Amino acid sequence: MKLSRPVSWFLLAFGAWSWFIWISFVRNLWKDGSGLAFDEAGDPTGYFWVHLVLAVVSFLLGTVIGVIGFRGVRALRRDQDAVEPAGVDHGSGGPTGV
């Protein structure tokens, strides 16, 4: 199965977005001072564990989706290079070579 260029780039962007969003979320969760993530003794609460698992699963899915997008972009470039070999001069002036 081949992915189109827009789909490949979308999946790659989604993967990068997931890394940014979920790493930021876990960093903010870890620094939470509202009492939701940690109790008075400083121990993690159920809220912390549920959201940490959510973030890890989302991070892993985003990584897999980003890798699929990266592989799609790479395959498109490889196909484009096979059709148009490097070193071909397209500005030679036409069939006469002038």
Side-chain angles (χ1 to χ4, degrees), residues 57-95:
V57 169
S58 297
F59 178 73
L60 291 174
L61 289 173
T63 301
V64 170
I65 290 169
V67 167
I68 292 169
F70 176 75
R71 291 178 69 185
V73 169
R74 192 173 58 179
L76 288 168
R77 288 192 178 166
R78 193 172 35 240
D79 290 347
Q80 183 180 11
D81 289 343
V83 171
E84 192 175 301
V88 174
D89 183 18
H90 293 288
S92 65

Side-chain angles (χ1 to χ4, degrees), residues 10-54:
F10 174 78
L11 294 176
L12 185 59
F14 181 86
W17 176 255
S18 291
W19 275 54
F20 174 74
I21 289 299
W22 290 109
I23 288 175
S24 299
F25 181 82
V26 169
R27 191 178 308 134
N28 292 336
L29 181 66
W30 201 267
K31 294 188 287 184
D32 179 52
S34 69
L36 288 173
F38 299 97
D39 59 16
E40 293 83 21
D43 296 326
T45 63
Y47 177 89
F48 174 83
W49 291 114
V50 166
H51 285 83
L52 183 63
V53 168
L54 172 70

